[in-house]
Amino acid sequence: MDAFELLKADHKKVAELFDLLETASGKRKLDVFKRIESELEVHTHIEETIFYPALEKPEETHDLTLEAYEEHKVVKTLLGELSGARSATDEWQAKAKVLRENVEHHVDEEENELFDKADDALSDEEVETLGNRMAAEKARKQGQPIPRATAKSAGKKRAAKPGIISKIADFVGLGSSNAKKIAKKTSAKKKTAGANRPAKAGKSSQAAVSKRSSTKQGSKRASGSKSSVGSTKKSGATTSKKSMKKRTSRR
């Protein structure tokens, strides 16, 4: 599970509950607040025990993470002051608005600053692992079955982010994407050349065979015509000799 998507879903749910809090009245307002308190307690817990510790070491997320811890302290203080109320007085509602403003400010910094820098600092595998751990801990705290990492969530992994060297290589034309294109073109040329060579050889061999057969047939015809001419001459000579003998004997 994507850690950022899980936390964003929590933010959205809490924002919807704050909208409901403003429209509710009387005891209903306190009931909605209890739901907000429960959601925020679990949310801050999984962030402080799993998500934030992974962002303290990277330089790009260190300062924002420490600031997020402090913002959680303010939210927890306001939750404690609001949770003990028996009715939604004007003072209580004013403090509830301050709570919402603090939560919205915290969410804005997380989603628009911290998450972007965390996405650069963490690998895709780390983001997925953190998400699975937070989902399991959240389910445990809420008394729900612990979800398992499914093939569907694994299939939704984002494409790996290219490193600095890969980006430089792509820029100069030596990156993996360009290399793949060149390899495809080369293999395509080889296939075309391989397909054409046998065809040409076959045609040339057929032409050679036809030439040889025609030559042989021509030679046979020539020899046949010569033999017929020779036999005709021989028969003619024999006939003339016989006629000469007959004339001599008659005389």
Side-chain angles (χ1 to χ4, degrees):
M1 179 176 289
D2 189 299
F4 304 123
E5 295 303 320
L6 183 149
L7 296 176
K8 286 179 180 179
D10 282 358
H11 294 164
K12 183 179 179 181
K13 186 173 183 179
V14 170
E16 291 173 351
L17 287 173
F18 271 119
D19 288 338
L20 187 60
L21 181 67
E22 289 187 0
T23 58
S25 59
K27 187 176 181 299
R28 172 66 175 163
K29 191 178 286 287
L30 294 179
D31 292 338
V32 175
F33 168 75
K34 288 180 181 179
R35 292 173 61 188
I36 293 174
E37 183 181 24
S38 176
E39 290 291 333
L40 287 177
E41 283 179 351
V42 175
H43 180 78
T44 56
H45 170 73
I46 62 174
E47 281 191 327
E48 292 177 0
T49 58
I50 299 172
F51 189 62
Y52 289 168
L55 303 180
E56 287 185 63
K57 292 182 180 180
E59 183 178 353
E60 56 265 48
T61 55
H62 178 73
D63 292 341
L64 286 172
T65 304
L66 295 182
E67 184 179 341
Y69 277 121
E70 296 303 316
E71 290 175 350
H72 276 195
K73 289 180 181 179
V74 175
V75 170
K76 289 177 181 179
T77 300
L78 290 170
L79 285 173
E81 293 175 357
L82 289 166
S83 62
R86 294 183 178 181
S87 62
T89 62
D90 291 342
E91 182 181 357
W92 184 93
Q93 293 185 54
K95 191 170 290 186
K97 287 183 179 180
V98 173
L99 171 65
R100 179 172 189 172
E101 290 173 357
N102 276 269
V103 170
E104 287 178 345
H105 170 76
H106 175 72
V107 168
D108 183 65
E109 283 195 346
E110 268 196 349
E111 294 189 358
N112 297 317
E113 294 184 51
L114 182 59
F115 285 2
D116 289 340
K117 293 184 177 181
D119 193 23
D120 294 332
L122 302 173
S123 67
D124 292 334
E125 290 76 14
E126 288 173 324
V127 172
E128 193 78 11
T129 299
L130 289 172
N132 290 333
R133 288 178 57 197
M134 286 192 290
E137 180 63 13
K138 182 178 178 180
R140 187 189 69 80
K141 291 283 289 184
Q142 294 177 335
Q144 298 175 356
I146 298 176
R148 295 181 179 179
T150 61
K152 185 176 180 180
S153 63
K156 289 183 178 180
K157 287 184 180 180
R158 297 163 298 167
K161 299 183 289 291
I164 298 299
I165 296 176
S166 298
K167 290 180 180 178
I168 295 173
D170 281 332
F171 180 75
V172 299
L174 298 175
S176 59
S177 59
N178 289 321
K180 287 180 180 179
K181 291 179 180 178
I182 294 171
K184 285 182 179 179
K185 290 181 179 179
T186 305
S187 62
K189 287 181 180 179
K190 287 182 178 179
K191 288 180 180 180
T192 304
N196 290 335
R197 284 173 186 169
K200 290 181 179 178
K203 289 180 180 179
S204 60
S205 62
Q206 289 177 0
V209 171
S210 62
K211 284 183 179 179
R212 289 174 186 173
S213 61
S214 62
T215 303
K216 287 181 180 181
Q217 290 177 358
S219 61
K220 285 182 180 181
R221 289 174 183 173
S223 61
S225 61
K226 287 181 180 180
S227 61
S228 62
V229 172
S231 61
T232 304
K233 289 181 179 179
K234 286 181 181 180
S235 61
T238 305
T239 305
S240 61
K241 286 181 180 181
K242 286 181 179 180
S243 60
M244 288 292 291
K245 285 181 180 181
K246 285 181 181 182
R247 290 176 185 175
T248 305
S249 62
R250 285 178 183 176
R251 287 176 184 178

